[in-house]
Amino acid sequence: METDCLFCRIVAGEIPATIVRETERTLAFRDIDPKAPTHVLVIPKEHYGDVAVLAESDPGLAGEVLATAGAVAEAEGLLGDGFRLMFNTGVNGGQEVFHVHAHVLGGAPLGPMIAR
Ligand code: AMP
């Protein structure tokens, strides 16, 4: 655990979150500032800074994050109309919390992938 990492502190139970799914190695909780009717974040419990580092260090765990994201999408009723799965990565990617997280977004048409 990284003591100054917000999402590590959620994993540790030090900061409250609305948890929607938990596996041995992953956690899914609602985004505090939702950008869509459904907006859930999926993280590995272990700290990795971004998706590239995670995929390089532990591809199996990266797969578990994807599997949890898929299970969340199903549980939230998003499979029929579809959803967006997004990993903001680094400064240009708009990443603000440097503990890798997948955004599961859905519940309405989300528009173009990138605003221009
Ligand atoms: P990103 O810009 O990809 O790093 O996304 C970080 C996300 O974390 C944003 O969508 C925030 O709304 C969300 N967030 C920040 N603090 C919390 C929190 N305490 N609980 C849940 N989500 C949070």
Side-chain angles (χ1 to χ4, degrees), residues 6-7 30-33 35 88 94-97 101 103:
L6 176 64
F7 289 172
R30 296 205 187 279
D31 195 290
I32 203 168
D33 180 18
K35 312 319 186 274
N88 293 330
Q95 186 174 5
E96 292 177 352
V97 178
H101 49 284
H103 295 259

Side-chain angles (χ1 to χ4, degrees), residues 57-76:
S57 308
D58 192 338
L61 182 54
E64 288 183 43
V65 169
L66 292 184
T68 297
V72 166
E74 181 172 22
E76 298 284 324

Side-chain angles (χ1 to χ4, degrees), residues 17-20 28-34 37-41 72 76:
T18 304
I19 292 168
V20 297
F29 52 92
R30 296 205 187 279
D31 195 290
I32 203 168
D33 180 18
T38 300
H39 188 173
V40 173
L41 303 177
V72 166
E76 298 284 324

